[in-house]
Amino acid sequence: MFNLLTMSDLTSQEIYQLIDRARQLKKAPADELAKNIYVSNLFFENSTRTKLSFEVAQRKLGMQVIPFEVTQSSVTKGESLYDTCETLASIGVNLLVIRHPQCAYYQQLQNLSIPIINGGDGAGHHPSQCLLDLMTIYEEFGRFKGLNIVIVGDIKNSRVANSNADTFKRLGMKVKLVSPKDWQLEGLGEYVKLDEVIDKIDVAMFLRVQHERHEVVDSQFSKYEYHKKYGLDQRRYNKLASHAIIMHPAPVNRDVEIASELVEAPKSRIFKQMTNGMFMRQAIIEFILKKNNLL
Ligand code: CP
């Protein structure tokens, strides 16, 4: 079974192939090439973008989307994740997209008879987000090698940072990180101060503060102080190079990670990331189905 669980499942050549295919799909919509394929999206953690853009992508590919709501399923009666997935496989579902709060939830699914696309596992990985981010950067610059990127925010608790930092480096980008001490994760890259690099970077990627993953209640957290030290305000925006772009996986905490009035500023690609996400998810589904001889 070929699954997309982390970016390590893809070679660099396959990453470029997915970007090319997603860009083709953006120019010319695909035929309903997966009409006889049944898919279910199992989201054990909330989502707006990932769940709905996968669903739009699936419907545009002509797929049969079988609704699954955790709260109305037998998960509430104690059904294990493995049993839920294998049940769906047994009744004829061909592909699963899963988001789960548990890091590496997929380790318990190794013997499944149905392929999985990981829609995000705790603070682990978010491969479809990484691929749509790469597509957005490639559309802007036409290359990765030598680009300077800073990833800012709650690095330790962010599956986006985890997937992106390693993959960006693999493709030749120079990655710097900015984060409060408590939210730093060693091994992903060099930590710097935002004001030291803001005028030198090509891409500034801000991350959502992941309060839901913090073990200690953030009673001391001040939105104002965080924004002042780590947020994008007008002063920092003005320092960006003319060609630089701003990204954020969203949802954005307005006036925390990014000043509300800058979310749709000319350098922002935040909504373009979401648009690209649907095309990238079409490309991912097609790729996984072909890898598993389902297309
Ligand atoms: N970026 C992202 O994963 O958004 P959702 O949580 O809304 O899916």
Side-chain angles (χ1 to χ4, degrees):
M1 206 57 63
F2 184 89
N3 303 308
L4 178 58
L5 305 177
T6 77
M7 288 301 290
S8 307
D9 292 323
L10 300 171
T11 63
S12 300
Q13 195 186 354
E14 286 170 333
I15 293 172
Y16 280 105
Q17 191 185 320
L18 281 163
I19 294 169
D20 278 353
R21 181 61 182 143
R23 294 182 74 206
Q24 262 175 26
L25 289 162
K26 196 173 173 182
K27 279 194 210 130
D31 292 335
E32 294 190 346
L33 49 85
K35 264 190 202 151
N36 297 321
I37 304 291
Y38 287 72
V39 62
S40 202
N41 302 308
L42 279 53
F43 276 63
F44 293 81
E45 198 183 79
N46 291 348
S47 165
T48 303
R49 275 145 293 274
T50 311
K51 185 173 186 205
L52 297 183
S53 64
F54 262 117
E55 190 164 334
V56 173
Q58 291 155 0
R59 289 185 188 280
K60 283 187 185 247
L61 291 171
M63 297 173 85
Q64 311 296 322
V65 184
I66 305 304
F68 178 87
E69 292 302 332
V70 174
T71 53
Q72 290 164 26
S73 74
S74 288
V75 170
T76 58
K77 302 175 202 164
E79 185 174 68
S80 73
L81 180 59
Y82 177 90
D83 286 345
T84 303
C85 296
E86 199 53 39
T87 300
L88 289 166
S90 306
I91 61 175
V93 175
N94 308 108
L95 175 67
L96 298 175
V97 179
I98 305 179
R99 171 173 286 188
H100 202 283
Q102 188 188 332
C103 247
Y105 66 83
Y106 41 77
Q107 281 172 358
Q108 60 194 286
L109 304 178
Q110 278 165 13
N111 298 323
L112 275 189
S113 55
I114 183 169
I116 304 166
I117 299 173
N118 180 14
D121 60 295
H125 296 272
H126 197 347
S128 64
Q129 180 71 44
C130 180
L131 287 162
L132 75 88
D133 288 343
L134 286 169
M135 175 183 177
T136 307
I137 294 169
Y138 194 82
E139 276 192 344
E140 197 70 34
F141 299 99
R143 68 187 163 93
F144 297 120
K145 203 164 167 47
L147 290 180
N148 288 293
I149 182 160
V150 64
I151 305 178
V152 186
D154 190 355
I155 305 284
K156 185 177 167 184
N157 298 293
S158 169
R159 53 193 171 216
V160 178
N162 207 17
S163 285
N164 284 6
D166 281 345
T167 312
F168 290 175
K169 283 184 273 180
R170 169 151 62 116
L171 297 175
M173 295 168 76
K174 296 176 196 159
V175 180
K176 296 266 194 291
L177 305 168
V178 173
S179 182
K181 200 106 197 112
D182 287 349
W183 299 345
Q184 293 182 6
L185 183 69
E186 291 313 315
L188 281 190
E190 183 196 353
Y191 286 88
V192 295
K193 291 204 161 46
L194 185 53
D195 289 318
E196 288 169 3
V197 295
I198 193 77
D199 55 339
K200 300 175 189 71
I201 43 98
D202 303 299
V203 181
M205 179 174 285
F206 294 85
L207 303 172
R208 183 174 67 83
V209 178
Q210 311 260 317
H211 290 292
E212 74 275 26
R213 298 195 209 288
H214 296 168
E215 281 161 19
V216 202
V217 179
D218 296 321
S219 55
Q220 302 298 313
F221 181 78
S222 154
K223 290 179 181 182
Y224 172 79
E225 286 301 324
Y226 181 87
H227 187 63
K228 207 163 81 175
K229 278 193 190 158
Y230 306 104
L232 183 71
D233 56 12
Q234 192 65 55
R235 179 182 65 83
R236 290 188 176 124
Y237 185 89
N238 293 343
K239 286 186 175 177
L240 288 162
S242 56
H243 68 273
I245 60 167
I246 302 160
M247 298 176 72
H248 190 303
V252 178
N253 290 309
R254 286 175 179 254
D255 294 323
V256 181
E257 299 105 24
I258 299 182
S260 188
E261 65 275 15
L262 297 177
V263 170
E264 292 182 78
K267 291 180 188 301
S268 169
R269 298 294 178 271
I270 296 171
F271 285 93
K272 190 176 183 192
Q273 287 172 265
M274 298 177 206
T275 303
N276 285 345
M278 197 288 293
F279 295 107
M280 179 50 79
R281 286 173 176 129
Q282 276 190 307
I284 292 169
I285 291 166
E286 188 188 73
F287 176 80
I288 296 291
L289 292 177
K290 283 187 177 163
K291 280 272 197 187
N292 289 290
N293 298 317
L294 289 163
L295 265 193

